[in-house]
């Protein structure tokens, strides 16, 4: 387990809101010097505390990904090995942005982006295999409020 102190936690929380903050901007939030923030940031990246950094695009930037869909999947049998293998196959597709394993009535939650509802339907018909997926529900994203001021 990696050692994460209060300064590291503050840096990580700040980065979740905007991963492009400079050392100076982080120092104002965290209360350390810009150099100390950048050293900590480099260590957090190297030790795996930051799993990956992604860009969240505006919906109208890429016409092939205008329709974002949240999908909840219930698997026929929830065995971790089966769920992991299925998730790996799904992540191999460009339309799949995020795959989460969840507790509760559903087993997986996907965030996906498509050019049209027809493209989503075709993907679901092709890839949500009935011997693995017992059922699914989809929700169309109207607005991403996480970036709203």
């Amino acid at each position: 387990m990696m050692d994460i102190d209060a300064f590291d936690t503050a840096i990580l929380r700040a980065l979740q809101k905007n991963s492009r903050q400079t050392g100076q901007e982080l120092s104002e939030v965290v209360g350390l010097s810009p150099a100390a923030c950048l050293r900590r940031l480099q260590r957090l990246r190297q030790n795996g505390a930051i799993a990956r950094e992604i860009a969240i695009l505006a919906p109208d930037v890429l016409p092939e990904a205008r329709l974002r869909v949240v999908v909840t999947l219930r698997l026929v049998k929830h065995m971790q090995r089966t769920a992991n293998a299925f998730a790996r196959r799904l992540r191999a597709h460009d339309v799949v942005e995020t795959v989460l394993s969840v507790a509760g009535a559903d087993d997986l939650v996907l965030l996906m982006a498509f050019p049209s509802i027809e493209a989503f339907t075709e993907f679901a018909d092709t890839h949500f295999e009935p011997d693995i997926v017992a059922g699914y529900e989809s929700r169309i994203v109207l607005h991403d409020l996480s970036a709203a001021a």
Side-chain angles (χ1 to χ4, degrees):
M1 184 98 186
M2 57 190 92
D3 289 330
I4 305 264
D5 64 15
F7 290 116
D8 292 335
T9 300
I11 289 170
L12 292 170
R13 292 199 190 287
L15 292 174
Q16 283 184 300
K17 293 179 182 168
N18 177 3
S19 67
R20 295 192 54 150
Q21 292 183 65
T22 65
Q24 181 62 44
E25 291 168 327
L26 287 172
S27 75
E28 292 168 10
V29 172
V30 176
L32 292 173
S33 72
C37 287
L38 291 176
R39 279 193 304 274
R40 285 174 174 265
L41 179 56
Q42 183 178 22
R43 181 180 48 81
L44 291 166
R45 285 181 175 132
Q46 288 173 344
N47 72 15
I50 299 172
R52 66 185 176 136
E53 296 175 63
I54 63 169
I56 299 174
L57 305 179
D60 57 347
V61 171
L62 297 177
E64 68 272 11
R66 284 198 178 145
L67 179 77
R68 295 182 79 205
V69 183
V70 176
V71 180
T72 56
L73 295 167
R74 290 173 307 286
L75 302 180
V76 172
K77 288 184 183 178
H78 186 85
M79 297 183 345
Q80 199 60 49
R81 191 173 356 148
T82 304
N84 290 344
F86 184 59
R88 269 192 307 279
R89 288 199 312 273
L90 291 173
R91 281 194 318 262
H93 299 278
D94 289 342
V95 296
V96 178
E97 296 178 3
T98 304
V99 180
L100 303 170
S101 176
V102 297
D106 299 308
D107 298 299
L108 297 174
V109 176
L110 311 174
L111 179 58
M112 308 172 80
F114 294 91
S116 66
I117 193 68
E118 293 81 12
F120 165 70
T121 303
E122 181 180 332
F123 183 91
D125 290 347
T126 303
H127 298 288
F128 297 165
E129 306 158 31
D131 56 327
I132 296 175
V133 177
Y136 71 91
E137 293 182 10
S138 57
R139 291 164 181 82
I140 306 302
V141 174
L142 299 177
H143 305 284
D144 181 351
L145 302 178
S146 61

